[in-house]
Amino acid sequence: MTVRSTSRNGLRPGEVTLERALSKLGLASRREARAWIASGRVSVDGAIELDPLRAVVPERIRLEIDGVRKDAAEFRFLLLNKPRGYVTTRADPEGRPTVFDLVADARTHLVAVGRLDFATSGVLLLTNDTRLADLLTDPSNAVPRVYVASVRGRWDEEKSLLVKEGVAQGDELLRAADVVARKSSGKESHLVVTLASGKNREVRRLLAAVGHEVQRLKRVAFGGLELGSLPAGKWREVSLAELSAAFGDLVARAQ
């Protein structure tokens, strides 16, 4: 079999890099794709390809992994009720359990759409449609995230106004789209916090910046997707119709 190693700068309409093509087709993460390509496991149109940055049109190539023809994987969408104590990463250097352990029986290569930190529970969408995942996490699309937070101390309306105006932290502006207090006492307050986009640990950092340490945090909605009665640690399939109702034209744009 011919072995090729080529490199091209710039992509024409419809083209992506080979590593991106493997990810876009739902076959592997980019890291896995690079490893497969470097080890000579990937062939394009009958020739082993060693350049992960080779420009290809995914729909027009004959792609093989270890000599086996691979077509685009069927797109799947899973809604997981993430428990506390799991990290949203494929492998953890500290050996902590990951959300991918919980969806192993789905038998599909999936990516998490955004992240929830180790101590945060609730709605987490996973998919092998990386195009849609990118659109849903793009800050410019302002997909709402809704959290229920338990914080130390009494919350008042002045704090609500402050976090909605935004709090500068380094080069970032942390801001809530909305905050509603369900309970407020000297010991503890319960809040419903809506974000228009997601930065790393944004709810915790934002509330800490106005003097309230988060004790418990749960995401109860992502776009139009809600947990409903889904138990912690369990997942369910999300249909394309449900996804379209939850995220509108972003789903159509991903097609």
Side-chain angles (χ1 to χ4, degrees), residues 159-180:
K159 297 288 181 64
S160 294
L161 294 173
L162 182 58
V163 298
K164 285 191 285 186
E165 289 176 358
V167 176
Q169 193 169 90
D171 294 332
E172 291 185 302
L173 180 66
L174 308 179
R175 180 164 54 194
D178 193 26
V179 181
V180 176

Side-chain angles (χ1 to χ4, degrees), residues 162-200:
L162 182 58
V163 298
K164 285 191 285 186
E165 289 176 358
V167 176
Q169 193 169 90
D171 294 332
E172 291 185 302
L173 180 66
L174 308 179
R175 180 164 54 194
D178 193 26
V179 181
V180 176
R182 287 181 171 175
K183 168 190 171 183
S184 182
S185 70
K187 180 180 179 181
E188 181 181 75
S189 297
H190 297 169
L191 311 174
V192 179
V193 181
T194 302
L195 301 181
S197 63
K199 299 182 178 71
N200 182 41

Side-chain angles (χ1 to χ4, degrees), residues 2-252:
T2 303
V3 177
R4 278 193 308 212
S5 181
T6 60
S7 181
R8 294 178 58 184
N9 293 321
L11 298 172
R12 292 178 295 186
E15 290 183 333
V16 297
T17 62
L18 180 58
E19 66 178 12
R20 177 74 176 97
L22 290 170
S23 173
K24 184 177 180 181
L25 294 172
L27 300 172
S29 69
R30 290 201 195 188
R31 179 181 296 177
E32 289 172 328
R34 286 194 292 271
W36 290 0
I37 294 165
S39 60
R41 297 177 59 190
V42 179
S43 66
V44 176
D45 295 333
I48 293 174
E49 179 59 65
L50 300 177
D51 181 7
L53 300 182
R54 177 186 169 183
V56 298
V57 179
E59 298 80 10
R60 297 180 182 173
I61 60 173
R62 187 175 81 255
L63 186 65
E64 296 178 355
I65 310 296
D66 297 328
V68 178
R69 176 71 180 267
K70 295 292 184 180
D71 296 313
E74 179 184 358
F75 287 143
R76 296 181 67 189
F77 312 96
L78 276 55
L79 177 61
L80 172 69
N81 185 351
K82 176 194 173 296
R84 298 177 69 188
Y86 284 76
V87 292
T88 312
T89 185
R90 196 162 298 279
D92 182 63
E94 299 179 31
R96 295 173 296 182
T98 84
V99 295
F100 295 98
D101 298 330
L102 297 172
V103 298
D105 54 342
R107 300 182 182 277
T108 301
H109 177 83
L110 300 165
V111 297
V113 183
R115 294 196 173 197
L116 293 178
D117 66 45
F118 182 74
T120 300
S121 63
V123 172
L124 183 65
L125 180 66
L126 301 105
T127 183
N128 57 349
D129 185 344
T130 57
R131 166 67 174 159
L132 180 59
D134 289 344
L135 287 172
L136 294 179
T137 53
D138 186 334
S140 68
N141 291 323
V143 175
R145 291 103 159 130
V146 183
Y147 298 81
V148 174
S150 297
V151 302
R152 294 186 185 276
R154 184 183 300 278
W155 187 266
D156 56 46
E157 187 58 27
E158 183 179 344
K159 297 288 181 64
S160 294
L161 294 173
L162 182 58
V163 298
K164 285 191 285 186
E165 289 176 358
V167 176
Q169 193 169 90
D171 294 332
E172 291 185 302
L173 180 66
L174 308 179
R175 180 164 54 194
D178 193 26
V179 181
V180 176
R182 287 181 171 175
K183 168 190 171 183
S184 182
S185 70
K187 180 180 179 181
E188 181 181 75
S189 297
H190 297 169
L191 311 174
V192 179
V193 181
T194 302
L195 301 181
S197 63
K199 299 182 178 71
N200 182 41
R201 296 174 60 85
E202 186 169 10
V203 175
R204 295 180 185 277
R205 293 161 58 204
L206 178 59
L207 299 182
V210 294
H212 292 271
E213 178 187 353
V214 173
Q215 297 176 291
R216 295 186 72 88
L217 186 63
K218 182 176 185 177
R219 184 158 70 187
V220 295
F222 178 55
L225 291 180
E226 299 180 356
L227 285 176
S229 59
L230 187 65
K234 300 298 182 180
W235 60 269
R236 67 172 179 84
E237 298 272 0
V238 179
S239 70
L240 189 58
E242 183 182 0
L243 210 66
S244 296
F247 299 107
D249 68 345
L250 292 179
V251 177

